[in-house]
Amino acid sequence: MRLVGIELEKNGRVHYFQAGDLELKKGDLVVVDAEKGISLGMVVTPPKEEKVGLFKRSFREVSRKATPQDVKEREQLRKKEKEALQHCLRLIGELNLPMKLVDVEYLLDGSKVIFYFTAGQRVDFRQLVRRIAAQLKTRIEMRQIGVRDEAKMVGGVGFCGRELCCTTFLQDFELVSIKMAKEQHLPLNPTKISGLCGRLMCCLAFEVAAYQELKKNLP
């Protein structure tokens, strides 16, 4: 089978789909029936032949290449997302809910709106969902994400002066521990080794293996 890597959100993780007979190249826009629903995605890794029995799970197929109409509809939905974001923020304030709204996403076919949020405790958002659904006249999904996912979605500039690693090339978050900072003789001041998300910086894991290997041969 031919597997193609597709990015469904800006700075998002790469999802793999079966390309079928479609001729796709990096940068092409495609329509896929993803786990969350009908979505517009961008090809980031061209189709590659893989053995059928190599993977333990099945892969969905790319529905088709995106048309100019698909792109136009996606742009129109972007405007609706901004309106839904403002509406939800207002309701969160009115209901005094302990949650932080991060982003809003309309599926390409308009069948569902996903609200991404962070919260430090359990949130009863049933009344919020009812009021939003009554306003938008569509299905609503509230999806809680972590603070590292929030940083990836929002973006920013790190202490190094470069754009955050999670918004440029990191696909998955690795486990980062304080031990990694100790291995590299870095100051254990939380303000020095924590990222914008408040967690230990992902880059602490980049060179720790090299430090560990070098220390084996040092006196």
Side-chain angles (χ1 to χ4, degrees):
M1 59 181 173
R2 299 171 66 235
L3 291 184
V4 58
I6 297 174
E7 190 177 64
L8 298 180
E9 309 92 12
K10 182 183 178 183
N11 306 325
R13 105 176 359 177
V14 176
H15 300 262
Y16 288 90
F17 293 81
Q18 291 194 53
D21 297 328
L22 293 175
E23 293 299 325
L24 302 172
K25 62 182 184 299
K26 185 175 180 179
D28 283 348
L29 295 177
V30 294
V31 176
V32 296
D33 185 4
E35 182 180 351
K36 62 184 177 181
I38 304 299
S39 305
L40 186 69
M42 176 182 290
V43 175
V44 292
T45 57
K48 181 181 178 181
E49 291 286 350
E50 300 286 358
K51 293 182 178 179
V52 176
L54 188 61
F55 303 94
K56 294 182 179 180
R57 66 183 183 89
S58 59
F59 295 87
R60 300 174 186 236
E61 289 193 13
V62 176
S63 300
R64 55 185 168 81
K65 283 187 176 182
T67 65
Q69 182 62 30
D70 292 323
V71 177
K72 183 178 180 180
E73 289 179 4
R74 176 69 265 182
E75 291 303 316
Q76 292 174 344
L77 290 173
R78 293 291 186 202
K79 297 178 182 178
K80 296 179 67 174
E81 287 170 352
K82 293 180 180 179
E83 296 173 359
L85 179 70
Q86 294 302 318
H87 180 63
C88 187
L89 285 173
R90 185 172 63 255
L91 290 177
I92 289 174
E94 290 179 7
L95 298 172
N96 196 28
L97 295 174
M99 58 189 291
K100 179 182 178 183
L101 186 63
V102 177
D103 202 5
V104 178
E105 179 187 8
Y106 263 90
L107 295 185
L108 186 62
D109 58 358
S111 63
K112 183 169 67 174
V113 188
I114 304 174
F115 292 82
Y116 299 92
F117 73 95
T118 60
Q121 61 190 71
R122 185 177 178 84
V123 181
D124 183 359
F125 45 70
R126 288 174 295 181
Q127 188 176 355
L128 174 65
V129 170
R130 285 195 294 268
R131 293 180 64 174
I132 295 176
Q135 175 70 28
L136 302 183
K137 308 295 184 185
T138 189
R139 290 170 56 208
I140 304 297
E141 178 183 340
M142 305 298 294
R143 183 173 296 187
Q144 185 170 356
I145 61 175
V147 291
R148 298 175 83 184
D149 296 294
E150 177 188 7
K152 185 178 182 68
M153 295 179 75
V154 175
V157 177
F159 298 124
C160 59
R162 299 174 67 97
E163 192 175 356
L164 297 180
C165 297
C166 58
T167 63
T168 51
F169 65 89
L170 282 184
Q171 292 298 321
D172 296 298
F173 293 113
E174 293 185 36
L175 178 64
V176 184
S177 67
I178 196 71
K179 183 179 179 182
M180 294 179 176
K182 292 179 180 179
E183 287 276 6
Q184 299 169 70
H185 301 287
L186 295 173
L188 302 183
N189 186 336
T191 61
K192 299 292 186 180
I193 57 176
S194 298
L196 297 184
C197 60
R199 302 292 176 85
L200 292 174
M201 293 188 294
C202 294
C203 58
L204 292 179
F206 294 172
E207 298 180 355
V208 67
Y211 274 84
Q212 292 170 341
E213 186 63 29
L214 287 171
K215 284 183 178 181
K216 294 178 182 179
N217 302 315
L218 291 176

